[in-house]
Amino acid sequence: MWRGTTHETSSETRRGGELRHLDDAFSVEGTFQNADPLRVRLNGVMVRERRDRFRPPGRRDNDLIVKTRYRFGNEPPVERLHYLEKEQALGWRGDFFDDVILSIPDLQHDRLHLRVQVYDLDGVSTDLVKTIEKFSESAAVLFPQLAIYAGIATLGADQLVNLVNNVDQHDEILDEKITFELSEPRTRHKLLQPGYFVCFRDEPVDGHLELRDDCRVLQNGDEYTDASYAVLEFEKDHDDDSKREIDQRVAKLVAELNGKRRSSEPALHFLRETLGVYSQYKKLERLRELERKRQPRKRLTRRENELRAELEADPILEPCIRDADDES
């Protein structure tokens, strides 16, 4: 079950506040629109359950994994690993490898599908956990779909990918899906809007729910302790990090190439679009290279001149060439 509250902070509106249903527009920033930047963060997870069915005598803590999955429309899903640690006591967890679930400069879809998973693992090796911690800042860990391509021999890529892909075979603490939409308030759609969103394991009993300044949930003024929950933050902003954007896109491609989804025309379109953009970029790069070679005291070969003319005549590249000429 999901609830949300305002994102703004001011003298009149503090961070947090009453948690409301998601078909209600609760942000004065307004809902997201196409072309808006979007960043989604996982602020933290409150773990209230011990779920290990095979707990050894005397063991009272969880071997904890926290991961998310997102996709837009019919695009392939992107897996994100945020946390993996053995023997973790109950309570708040927010010291993630990376708290960003996704960050894009240009929202182009009407639906965002999101899944938050927190599990107690069975039989995960200490060596694997230590290795993942060692490489926790690498794309191979943050985007596990890239692990088998990372070339890190000691990472145990097969083990990592198998663990992430089959996490739901372990002991569930929290596993919730939701679809956010660009829509109008009060239409029963869960609105994609700036704010804080709380994903509860269980439906809280009746009572006033609010989010405290430290992202803890209160119920009728007291801390909510009935079940686990996760707190996410949606912002009209994005990280100016081209590497992250590329990693996100590559992870989508790898998901499709690995057959994680059924073959479909939208997925095929995504692959064609991505590779098409790359192809046009390489053509433009090649044209610039030929232009530089035409400087005084350098001459192009006959074939290089023919290729330059072909590239300049490309109808897709033509606007880019014209704009560059205008700027010069």
Side-chain angles (χ1 to χ4, degrees), residues 69-78 111-114 261:
R69 169 189 284 188
Y70 76 87
R71 66 179 174 89
F72 288 102
N74 291 316
E75 289 185 352
V78 176
R111 293 186 178 186
L112 168 62
H113 306 278
L114 189 61
R261 303 174 67 248

Side-chain angles (χ1 to χ4, degrees), residues 128-148:
L128 177 61
V129 173
K130 289 182 177 179
T131 301
I132 289 174
E133 288 179 344
K134 180 179 179 180
F135 295 101
S136 61
E137 296 183 1
S138 73
V141 169
L142 302 178
F143 297 88
Q145 288 153 322
L146 306 182
I148 59 177

Side-chain angles (χ1 to χ4, degrees), residues 237-252:
D237 199 355
H238 81 285
D239 298 322
D240 189 14
D241 184 349
S242 59
K243 181 178 180 298
R244 183 193 297 277
E245 291 183 32
I246 292 171
D247 288 345
Q248 288 177 164
R249 198 165 187 89
V250 172
K252 291 179 186 179

Side-chain angles (χ1 to χ4, degrees), residues 89-267:
L90 301 184
W92 180 258
R93 290 290 174 271
D95 50 336
F96 302 131
F97 301 150
D98 185 359
D99 65 351
V100 177
I101 298 174
L102 68 99
S103 177
I104 56 173
D106 175 13
L107 182 61
Q108 301 180 41
H109 299 273
D110 294 336
R111 293 186 178 186
L112 168 62
H113 306 278
L114 189 61
R115 184 177 186 180
V116 179
Q117 294 177 288
V118 183
Y119 277 77
D120 176 35
L121 300 173
D122 299 316
V124 62
S125 72
T126 300
D127 289 343
L128 177 61
V129 173
K130 289 182 177 179
T131 301
I132 289 174
E133 288 179 344
K134 180 179 179 180
F135 295 101
S136 61
E137 296 183 1
S138 73
V141 169
L142 302 178
F143 297 88
Q145 288 153 322
L146 306 182
I148 59 177
Y149 302 95
I152 304 175
T154 59
L155 181 57
D158 290 340
Q159 296 179 63
L160 173 59
V161 172
N162 182 65
L163 175 63
V164 170
N165 287 346
N166 299 288
V167 69
D168 54 1
Q169 295 181 10
H170 295 268
D171 300 308
E172 177 187 328
I173 294 174
L174 177 70
D175 194 336
E176 293 293 329
K177 303 176 185 177
I178 190 170
T179 297
F180 293 98
E181 300 183 59
L182 301 185
S183 187
E184 295 298 322
R186 303 294 182 180
T187 56
R188 297 187 180 273
H189 297 283
K190 297 174 177 63
L191 303 179
L192 184 59
Q193 58 182 313
Y196 294 94
F197 294 80
V198 182
C199 168
F200 292 94
R201 172 183 171 83
D202 297 320
E203 176 80 28
V205 297
D206 292 339
H208 180 76
L209 296 172
E210 61 180 313
L211 190 67
R212 207 166 61 186
D213 290 352
D214 61 359
C215 286
R216 284 16 173 219
V217 174
L218 300 180
Q219 184 177 40
N220 299 323
D222 297 322
E223 188 161 355
Y224 174 75
T225 59
D226 290 348
S228 297
Y229 59 86
V231 181
L232 292 79
E233 180 182 8
F234 287 48
E235 303 170 278
K236 284 189 178 181
D237 199 355
H238 81 285
D239 298 322
D240 189 14
D241 184 349
S242 59
K243 181 178 180 298
R244 183 193 297 277
E245 291 183 32
I246 292 171
D247 288 345
Q248 288 177 164
R249 198 165 187 89
V250 172
K252 291 179 186 179
L253 289 171
V254 170
E256 184 61 32
L257 293 172
N258 285 347
K260 291 179 68 64
R261 303 174 67 248
R262 294 180 179 178
S263 178
S264 65
E265 184 59 31

